[in-house]
Amino acid sequence: MKKMLFILSSILMMSGAVLSGCASGGQVGGTSAPAATGQSAQQTPAASETSAEPKVLRWNLHSEPPTADPSIAEDTTSMAIIKAIFDGLTRIHEDGKPHEAVAEKIDISADLKTYTFTLRDAKWSNGDPLTAHDFEYGWKRTLDPKTASNYAYQLYYVKNAEKANKGEGKMEDVGVKALDDKTLQVTLENATPFFLELTAFHSYFPINRKVVEANANWAAEAKTHVGNGPFKMESWEHKNKMILVKNENYWDKDSVKLERIEFSMVEDENTELSMFENGEIDWAGHPLSSLPIDAMPAMKASGKMVVHPVAATYWYKFNTEKAPFNNVKIRKAFAYVINRQALIDNVLQANQQPAMAAVPPAMSLNPDGYFKDNDVETAKKLMEEGMKELGISKLPPITLSFNTSEGHKKIAEAIQDQWRKSLGVEVKLENQEWKVYLESLHQGNYQVGRSGWSGDFNDPINFLEVFKEKQGGNNDTRWENPKYKELLNQSATESDPQKRKEILQQAEQILMDELPIMPIYFYTHTWVKDDKVKGVVTDALGGIDWKWTSIE
């Protein structure tokens, strides 16, 4: 799911975002709830309006969304905005399951490889009719190598999509075709049980071709943005604020109770909490920001803080193309020596779980993990062996990078101290604004970098496929392993669930044997909210949806 700015897609879950199956940038909390079950911040449905006051939700995004374009989004902040202003063939509801959205009817072939979507009458926010051709265009635009989408691989379940994206096949051979304005036919490479979850994901959203061709930067400004979701963008003052308003052209507008959502973009978590306490915003904390770590004990004691497990993993990435982390023993030493439980108890304080695996507990392949927490003795031995293999007697100073966030900073400082005391390594800390930080990771301009991953759908493949290929869109580690790749390919064609799980477990074993990433903890989300806010859907994958939100 996503890189988490607070890593989530996106992914990044602390105060940065999470990469989705997403990266996260702003969140520091953890993720570990069953991704199959959704949960709303208020379980009761939105009540009927009882006041003539405008229904306005006020929220802090923590960081500027890098984009509002579904084809190139890769972090939780962008994805949350995009979910509000777009709608897919399906949409995840409060029960955590995909339901019909733009598609009012879905027919699936007996071999589970051909899906025929019949679209309902729907419009774009500018009044243009929404057709099946918009979905075909949107999917193929994401796959087009010129788009340079880091999430193009999420469409590889569609027949010939991978070949087209890699320039090895023709775009017209991709298995998505508008049979007419109301009918979209999709052919898959293999039966994919979670495909209707994928069609609720932003990479599968429609795009208005006329708008894109008129202005290549259509998604960068409110005045040119066109979507098809519950809300539309009214204004976007970059790095300051954004306003979404109810989309009167939305097919299900009667379900939308809010008139507008007003977003601020304040990076400091203490300032955000003060804004909440002063009544300036209605929600503080995850999933798009984080609560100040120092304030956690008091908020927990007050009973006002919500703790919500989510299927996401906070990890550090190693640049495996740069010394000394081109040596697997050095990577293992840095990973093994971490005292994760102490980090959770003394810094995070929100019931996270130590991570000795990449896949979170909700979809775990090996509940016991693949190595021991705080294994200092083994770490020192591996460090000595690794330095000998590199022909050095002392490690040079290491740079640990993270996106701007007080939470990420505190975690980095704690790990910096552990590395210094246990391994004698000097570590320089470097922080960057979220969008700049993402680009640094993608360009390989880092040694160790904070990140995280939140599930895009409820299956372990979503966490493992990130590292399938060296040049994969979100694989900033530049690590690749032929056997690992082969196992992931095998899993795609294995129909027996138990055998498939065993194949994926073998793959995760390889990933944890070579450790291009260093798992640290499994997320929980924590937040405080105004009691008047009802019906915010926060799913077990770390996503958020304001479609059914109301102010009462």
Side-chain angles (χ1 to χ4, degrees):
M1 141 122 247
K2 323 148 207 128
K3 275 177 188 162
M4 300 168 72
L5 170 67
F6 300 88
I7 220 153
L8 38 228
S9 329
S10 197
I11 14 207
L12 303 168
M13 281 184 82
M14 285 189 55
S15 287
V18 178
L19 296 172
S20 182
C22 57
S24 128
Q27 304 147 348
V28 178
T31 309
S32 68
T37 59
Q39 176 177 338
S40 69
Q42 173 67 32
Q43 294 296 337
T44 55
S48 60
E49 307 299 329
T50 59
S51 170
E53 293 182 10
K55 304 301 180 183
V56 179
L57 177 67
R58 300 161 305 163
W59 203 285
N60 184 46
L61 289 180
H62 185 278
S63 298
E64 165 92 348
T67 184
D69 182 342
S71 289
I72 60 176
E74 58 176 325
D75 65 286
T76 49
T77 303
S78 297
M79 291 178 192
I81 296 299
I82 287 169
K83 183 181 286 187
I85 55 182
F86 282 90
D87 209 8
L89 295 165
T90 56
R91 196 174 187 96
I92 306 299
H93 282 222
E94 289 189 17
D95 60 4
K97 298 176 182 178
H99 292 252
E100 292 85 350
V102 177
E104 65 178 357
K105 181 184 177 185
I106 304 171
D107 294 308
I108 308 173
S109 63
D111 65 359
L112 307 180
K113 292 170 66 173
T114 301
Y115 287 68
T116 303
F117 299 91
T118 302
L119 275 57
R120 66 179 79 247
D121 290 334
K123 293 181 180 181
W124 290 99
S125 57
N126 66 355
D128 289 347
L130 176 65
T131 73
H133 299 280
D134 296 319
F135 282 94
E136 180 180 354
Y137 171 73
W139 296 16
K140 289 181 176 179
R141 177 174 177 264
T142 300
L143 288 169
D144 189 337
K146 295 178 182 177
T147 304
S149 170
N150 286 330
Y151 256 105
Y153 71 89
Q154 206 66 286
L155 286 152
Y156 286 1
Y157 299 96
V158 178
K159 190 172 183 64
N160 294 322
E162 182 174 6
K163 292 178 181 177
N165 181 241
K166 293 181 175 179
E168 300 168 358
K170 298 178 180 179
M171 199 63 69
E172 53 262 37
D173 293 332
V174 174
V176 55
K177 184 175 180 59
L179 302 183
D180 54 45
D181 284 353
K182 295 293 186 184
T183 312
L184 186 74
Q185 187 176 80
V186 180
T187 306
L188 306 182
E189 290 281 1
N190 303 289
T192 305
F194 46 80
F195 186 65
L196 292 181
E197 289 184 59
L198 285 172
T199 53
F201 190 65
H202 68 87
S203 299
Y204 288 78
F205 285 173
I207 299 288
N208 190 313
R209 183 172 192 160
K210 182 179 71 175
V211 171
V212 175
E213 292 180 345
N215 179 6
N217 295 316
W218 65 280
E221 303 294 340
K223 63 182 179 181
T224 53
H225 195 282
V226 175
N228 71 312
F231 302 92
K232 62 182 179 180
M233 199 181 296
E234 180 179 83
S235 65
W236 186 355
E237 296 180 24
H238 292 282
K239 298 188 177 181
N240 185 25
K241 64 181 180 181
M242 176 186 287
I243 296 177
L244 306 184
V245 297
K246 182 175 179 177
N247 177 12
E248 291 299 332
N249 284 321
Y250 183 50
W251 69 269
D252 193 25
K253 65 179 181 180
D254 290 345
S255 295
V256 182
K257 306 302 180 185
L258 290 177
E259 295 176 27
R260 59 200 286 119
I261 308 177
E262 299 178 352
F263 295 105
S264 52
M265 301 178 193
V266 176
E267 286 193 334
D268 184 77
E269 293 94 335
N270 288 291
T271 302
E272 176 180 315
L273 183 58
S274 295
M275 291 169 67
F276 172 78
E277 292 173 339
N278 294 334
E280 298 172 54
I281 57 176
D282 303 313
W283 185 295
H286 294 106
L288 301 180
S289 185
S290 60
L291 294 171
I293 287 177
D294 292 342
M296 287 282 201
M299 287 190 290
K300 190 184 299 184
S302 73
K304 295 179 180 179
M305 186 176 78
V306 176
V307 179
H308 174 47
V310 287
T313 309
Y314 190 100
W315 57 46
Y316 280 174
K317 293 180 178 180
F318 293 111
N319 187 335
T320 64
E321 290 188 332
K322 287 185 177 180
F325 299 112
N326 56 342
N327 183 280
V328 64
K329 290 181 179 177
I330 298 292
R331 298 198 297 269
K332 285 185 173 182
F334 274 71
Y336 289 3
V337 79
I338 297 298
N339 189 331
R340 292 161 178 78
Q341 192 60 58
L343 188 70
I344 292 168
D345 293 342
N346 300 322
V347 179
L348 295 162
Q349 306 179 69
N351 301 333
Q352 295 88 350
Q353 295 184 45
M356 274 74 76
V359 179
M363 51 191 88
S364 178
L365 297 167
N366 182 357
D368 296 328
Y370 297 87
F371 54 89
K372 293 193 298 182
D373 188 29
N374 193 214
D375 190 353
V376 177
E377 183 178 345
T378 302
K380 287 182 176 180
K381 180 174 181 292
L382 288 167
M383 177 68 83
E384 183 179 346
E385 293 174 357
M387 289 194 297
K388 186 175 182 180
E389 291 175 3
L390 291 174
I392 57 177
S393 58
K394 181 178 175 63
L395 281 185
I398 300 299
T399 299
L400 170 57
S401 304
F402 55 92
N403 55 292
T404 303
S405 158
E406 186 62 27
H408 293 321
K409 180 183 178 183
K410 287 182 180 294
I411 290 176
E413 288 173 341
I415 290 177
Q416 174 192 44
D417 186 59
Q418 292 182 9
W419 283 343
R420 183 177 65 251
K421 289 179 177 177
S422 297
L423 297 177
V425 179
E426 290 303 316
V427 181
K428 174 187 174 184
L429 302 184
E430 175 185 71
N431 76 286
Q432 295 176 319
E433 182 268 328
W434 176 233
K435 189 174 182 179
V436 175
Y437 178 69
L438 278 181
E439 188 60 26
S440 294
L441 291 182
H442 294 337
Q443 295 299 321
N445 297 326
Y446 77 102
Q447 283 186 295
V448 186
R450 172 234 155 252
S451 187
W453 195 259
S454 172
D456 298 322
F457 52 91
N458 183 31
D459 194 277
I461 189 67
N462 183 231
F463 285 77
L464 302 179
E465 66 186 352
V466 177
F467 308 101
K468 183 177 179 180
E469 295 183 344
K470 183 176 183 178
Q471 299 301 326
N474 287 308
N475 187 7
D476 304 313
T477 70
R478 304 295 196 272
W479 173 84
E480 188 175 275
N481 180 290
K483 179 61 177 176
Y484 182 81
K485 189 173 180 178
E486 178 186 336
L487 287 167
L488 295 190
N489 289 337
Q490 285 180 23
S491 74
T493 58
E494 179 54 65
S495 57
D496 183 291
Q498 184 57 39
K499 290 181 179 178
R500 179 175 180 270
K501 182 176 180 179
E502 291 170 0
I503 292 170
L504 292 176
Q505 194 276 333
Q506 292 176 50
E508 189 179 30
Q509 179 73 62
I510 292 173
L511 185 67
M512 293 296 96
D513 281 345
E514 299 202 9
L515 287 177
I517 56 170
M518 181 180 82
I520 300 176
Y521 64 85
F522 298 122
Y523 276 95
T524 58
H525 278 176
T526 55
W527 66 75
V528 289
K529 76 177 187 73
D530 193 306
D531 291 339
K532 68 184 180 184
V533 178
K534 311 292 183 183
V536 176
V537 175
T538 54
D539 66 38
L541 295 172
I544 188 165
D545 196 344
W546 298 289
K547 174 178 174 176
W548 299 279
T549 300
S550 65
I551 303 293
E552 298 179 10

